[in-house]
Amino acid sequence: MQTQNIATILKENGYVGRGVLMGRSPSGKKAAMAYFIMGRSENSQNRVFIEKGEELIIHPFDESKVEDPSLIIYAPVRVSGANTIVTNGDQTDTIYDFLAAGKSFEAALRTRCFEPDAPNFTSRISGMMTLSDSGCAYKLSILKSADAAGSACLRQTFEYAEPLPGVGHFIHTYQTDGNPLPAFAGEPEQVALPETAEELADLLWNNLDARYKISLFVRYIDIETGAVETRVVNRHQK
């Protein structure tokens, strides 16, 4: 598979919605992950990311403007042992609970479906990075509508058991802008990664469409020491 420049992907596609990215730094020493949100409506744009220990929560910037909290307020990042879970919805908690019960990432997502926001039926995208003594591995998942009526859910999981240094995989909710918004299609896009969280945060934030970008989370974890480097960027400052 060809490795792409994520800056080009974002510049050429003004509205990808929410995005999950996972991979390994060029040195091979760090596990890399990122999550960002974009939004067009006032309800969607009224959000900020807030760090809570190792985890991340989304909070309304102006609580008086919240219209439907169910789809905009959730914990996109949770940590369960050696696993870091990153998703675009409350399926983060579903995965966390299943792991705690000794069950799998895939089993958790079999209980969930795309978002009930007709006519878009926004896909649920999820990732899980797992660290071990030998390195890191990750999985990406998308749950999307099988048709325009939301009649059935398609569940696809992609596993990267031997991630290559300097390479990441990027999945996003929407293929492009549209009305209704078309769901992401195909395999996650293979992209080149920089060595540090700061570099990746700058790369993503500077190339997301300024009209729609809201918040960004980037984390790098040193595979040998477990040291964590996190960057959070918000359009609105809480």
Side-chain angles (χ1 to χ4, degrees):
M1 180 181 289
Q2 182 180 0
T3 301
Q4 304 179 64
N5 186 330
I6 196 166
T8 303
I9 293 174
L10 296 176
K11 283 181 178 178
E12 293 181 351
N13 190 344
Y15 196 67
V16 296
R18 272 76 84 191
V20 173
L21 169 63
M22 291 194 165
R24 194 166 187 169
S25 70
S27 68
K29 295 179 178 180
K30 299 174 184 178
M33 64 202 78
Y35 176 60
F36 65 78
I37 58 174
M38 305 175 78
R40 299 187 298 181
S41 69
E42 185 176 12
N43 190 48
S44 291
Q45 293 186 358
N46 181 37
R47 294 183 282 179
V48 290
F49 285 175
I50 299 175
E51 292 183 77
K52 187 177 180 182
E54 291 184 304
E55 301 183 345
L56 190 75
I57 60 172
I58 293 181
H59 197 277
F61 176 67
D62 183 346
E63 294 189 20
S64 68
K65 294 182 179 180
V66 176
E67 297 172 8
D68 180 3
S70 65
L71 295 179
I72 70 165
I73 300 174
Y74 54 91
V77 179
R78 296 196 67 182
V79 177
S80 175
N83 304 297
T84 302
I85 307 157
V86 183
T87 91
N88 73 324
D90 63 7
Q91 72 267 26
T92 315
D93 296 332
T94 306
I95 297 168
Y96 181 91
D97 291 342
F98 268 62
L99 294 178
K103 301 177 183 179
S104 69
F105 176 81
E106 292 85 352
L109 291 170
R110 289 188 196 106
T111 70
R112 302 304 305 269
C113 195
F114 49 83
E115 295 180 6
D117 60 338
N120 295 315
F121 298 116
T122 297
S123 301
R124 291 190 186 271
I125 53 173
S126 308
M128 185 173 74
M129 176 69 73
T130 303
L131 271 63
S132 67
D133 293 340
S134 59
C136 66
Y138 56 93
K139 298 176 181 181
L140 293 171
S141 163
I142 184 167
L143 312 179
K144 59 185 178 181
S145 178
D147 61 16
S151 303
C153 182
L154 299 179
R155 296 176 174 86
Q156 298 173 323
T157 302
F158 305 87
E159 183 173 2
Y160 304 91
E162 299 177 353
L164 298 172
V167 173
H169 291 90
F170 175 46
I171 195 166
H172 38 97
T173 51
Y174 307 127
Q175 190 71 10
T176 186
D177 206 347
N179 188 21
L181 290 157
F184 179 88
E187 292 184 41
E189 294 156 330
Q190 184 166 300
V191 298
L193 292 179
E195 186 61 31
T196 69
E198 184 172 1
E199 290 175 294
L200 182 57
D202 287 344
L203 181 65
L204 294 173
W205 190 253
N206 292 336
N207 288 287
L208 288 167
D209 192 300
R211 294 171 296 173
Y212 306 125
K213 64 184 179 183
I214 303 169
S215 295
L216 167 70
F217 161 88
V218 175
R219 174 169 293 167
Y220 276 45
I221 306 174
D222 188 292
I223 295 170
E224 182 177 352
T225 68
V228 174
E229 180 187 4
T230 301
R231 294 290 182 272
V232 173
V233 185
N234 287 306
R235 176 176 179 173
H236 304 297
Q237 296 303 315
K238 189 70 178 173

